């Protein structure tokens, strides 16, 4: 089978690999029909995730058709159309019983990280009963690819961790796919204002169509000043960091009002400077996290009912054979006006 593999920082290859096989009774083999590229994949290629070793098949998102199941799999059978969660969960360990699926003792974020992932024609899914979801008949499968990772990440790590409430002023720093997912799902809680901040005017314009009430281009270095002016010097109730670099984290910690929440969603490859000398007195809450995907069933219902339309995030489509081109487009998102790409292997 063909698979997109990590070779070394800055280098990837589309190679032939053996089709995965059942290794444990709880495994399933899924034929990928649609997958995508995540910003985390770009962080891996930049060398920010050293646990990813040479030869690893990348990818942790996608939908597909069950090809084979182990004898311990009870909820799925050959031919089922399934959504693949970016998080693998045994459902039995101490962390899983607390809902911390991200830190499953025999799973967590392993696809495209510690085991081969979804940017291939086939993928092995451990603990299939807890790590796959049935696709309802007639549901837009491209939209569901967004439910593998970015929608639950934006919702759980941004909106829920940030305690977004009716009437809040929310600032989302970074209008990439995860920032947009946070924008879409924040509206479940009716905040009064959602300020989107980015360097890319195209993404800012798109965010307005998704519900942003105000946008700021931060290329002039005056984002903090503009947000404080816009909020009458008070700052925001919730600041979401959705990029993963020191500069955007710094914006977030400067714009919080007393009692505010800083919800970090970005994948950071470098240390940030945390100004505890200023913030210790402000009663702020800083949260971090890797998505648990506990919200996926609820989000699946909102997509099925058309209350949530994540397919709006899709800007480019490719055949699997053109995945290298897809990376080129996604890796130069501003130039190509790209948000999410769909890679099809139908």
């Amino acid at each position: 089978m063909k698979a997109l593999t990590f070779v070394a920082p800055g280098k990837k290859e589309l190679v032939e690999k053996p089709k995965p096989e059942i290794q444990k009774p709880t495994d399933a083999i899924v034929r990928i029909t649609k997958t995508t590229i995540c910003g985390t994949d770009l962080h891996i290629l930049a060398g920010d995730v050293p646990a990813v070793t040479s030869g690893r098949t990348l990818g942790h998102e996608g939908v597909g058709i069950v090809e084979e199941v182990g004898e311990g799999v009870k909820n799925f059978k050959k031919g089922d159309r399934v959504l693949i969660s970016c998080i693998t969960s045994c459902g039995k360990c101490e962390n899983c019983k607390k809902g911390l699926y991200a830190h499953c003792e025999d799973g967590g974020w392993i696809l495209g990280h510690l085991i081969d992932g979804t940017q291939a024609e086939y993928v092995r899914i451990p603990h299939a009963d807890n790590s796959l979801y049935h696709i309802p008949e007639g549901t837009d499968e491209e939209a569901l690819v967004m439910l593998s990772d970015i929608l639950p990440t934006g919702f759980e790590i941004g909106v829920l961790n940030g305690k977004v409430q009716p009437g809040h002023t929310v600032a989302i720093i970074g209008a990439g796919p995860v920032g947009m997912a946070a924008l879409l799902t924040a509206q479940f809680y009716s905040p009064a204002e959602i300020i989107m901040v980015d360097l890319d005017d195209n993404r800012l314009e798109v965010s307005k169509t998704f519900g942003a009430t105000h946008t700021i281009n931060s290329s002039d270095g005056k984002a903090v000043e503009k947000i404080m002016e816009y909020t009458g010097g008070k700052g925001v109730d919730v600041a979401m960091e959705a990029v993963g670099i020191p500069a955007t984290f710094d914006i977030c910690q400067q714009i919080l009002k007393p009692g505010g929440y800083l919800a970090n969603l970005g994948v950071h490859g470098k240390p940030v400077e945390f100004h505890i000398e200023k913030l210790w007195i402000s009663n702020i809450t800083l949260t971090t996290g890797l998505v648990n995907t506990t919200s996926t069933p609820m989000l699946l219902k909102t997509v099925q009912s058309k209350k949530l339309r994540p397919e709006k995030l899709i800007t480019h489509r490719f055949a699997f054979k053109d995945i290298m081109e897809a990376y080129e487009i996604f890796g130069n998102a501003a130039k190509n006006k790209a948000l999410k790409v769909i890679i099809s292997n139908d």
Side-chain angles (χ1 to χ4, degrees):
M1 70 164 190
K2 288 184 170 57
L4 194 285
T5 61
F6 171 79
V7 177
K11 189 174 182 183
K12 59 191 179 297
E13 289 182 351
L14 184 60
V15 301
E16 285 287 340
K17 295 181 89 168
K19 180 181 171 182
E21 298 178 345
I22 298 290
Q23 296 181 16
K24 294 182 179 180
T26 51
D27 288 350
I29 306 300
V30 176
R31 180 173 70 82
I32 296 293
T33 55
K34 297 182 189 299
T35 185
T36 187
I37 303 168
C38 182
T40 303
D41 297 320
L42 300 185
H43 279 283
I44 289 170
L45 289 169
D48 293 341
V49 189
V52 180
T53 54
S54 182
R56 175 71 63 233
T57 299
L58 295 176
H60 50 267
E61 302 165 273
V63 297
I65 301 171
V66 174
E67 183 88 356
E68 183 183 0
V69 297
E71 60 184 14
V73 176
K74 305 302 181 186
N75 296 334
F76 299 91
K77 65 183 185 305
K78 182 176 181 178
D80 285 348
R81 303 189 78 89
V82 292
L83 165 66
I84 298 167
S85 174
C86 66
I87 297 297
T88 300
S89 164
C90 75
K92 298 177 181 178
C93 70
E94 179 182 354
N95 285 333
C96 282
K97 288 181 176 179
K98 292 190 291 187
L100 276 173
Y101 300 155
H103 298 281
C104 173
E105 293 172 10
D106 191 38
W109 173 41
I110 56 175
L111 290 173
H113 179 206
L114 305 179
I115 68 171
D116 283 345
T118 59
Q119 289 172 15
E121 293 179 289
Y122 295 89
V123 64
R124 179 178 70 90
I125 304 296
H127 302 296
D129 278 340
N130 297 301
S131 307
L132 296 173
Y133 298 88
H134 287 284
I135 293 178
E137 191 72 30
T139 307
D140 183 347
E141 294 190 7
E142 289 190 349
L144 294 190
V145 174
M146 308 300 111
L147 290 187
S148 286
D149 184 358
I150 64 165
L151 260 295
T153 294
F155 181 58
E156 295 175 21
I157 309 305
V159 178
L160 294 185
N161 279 3
K163 305 290 186 186
V164 175
Q165 297 178 25
H168 269 176
T169 297
V170 176
I172 301 173
I173 315 303
V178 169
M180 294 290 200
L183 167 62
L184 288 171
T185 55
Q187 293 168 72
F188 291 162
Y189 294 92
S190 301
E193 296 175 295
I194 305 177
I195 305 166
M196 294 297 291
V197 180
D198 203 275
L199 299 168
D200 183 344
D201 282 330
N202 175 64
R203 287 187 168 185
L204 292 174
E205 283 301 311
V206 171
S207 75
K208 290 179 182 178
T209 71
F210 290 171
T213 58
H214 191 64
T215 60
I216 293 174
N217 188 309
S218 56
S219 58
D220 60 3
K222 296 181 179 180
V224 171
E225 180 182 327
K226 290 176 180 177
I227 291 170
M228 295 308 290
E229 181 181 352
Y230 183 71
T231 59
K234 294 180 178 180
V236 301
D237 298 286
V238 183
M240 301 186 198
E241 197 289 324
V243 182
I245 60 173
T248 49
F249 183 87
D250 192 50
I251 290 172
C252 287
Q253 62 181 328
Q254 291 189 63
I255 61 175
L256 285 177
K257 65 168 56 171
Y261 282 77
L262 196 171
N264 186 91
L265 296 92
V267 177
H268 289 267
K270 296 180 180 179
V272 300
E273 186 173 357
F274 180 49
H275 288 292
I276 190 67
E277 80 283 1
K278 295 178 180 178
L279 293 173
W280 73 269
I281 201 170
S282 294
N283 297 71
I284 66 106
T285 300
L286 168 64
T287 61
T288 67
L290 178 60
V291 65
N292 290 301
T293 65
T294 51
S295 66
T296 301
M298 179 277 286
L299 293 170
L300 187 55
K301 290 178 181 178
T302 65
V303 172
Q304 191 179 6
S305 68
K306 306 293 186 182
K307 298 289 186 184
L308 192 64
R309 304 294 294 270
E311 66 273 16
K312 293 179 181 179
L313 296 168
I314 300 165
T315 55
H316 294 75
R317 292 169 175 83
F318 299 88
F320 187 78
K321 65 182 177 63
D322 299 319
I323 193 170
M324 297 295 273
E325 182 186 354
Y327 261 93
E328 181 66 24
I329 294 293
F330 187 71
N332 295 280
K335 174 185 174 183
N336 297 300
K337 296 185 177 181
L339 279 172
K340 288 296 281 186
V341 301
I342 288 289
I343 300 160
S344 295
N345 190 40
D346 293 328

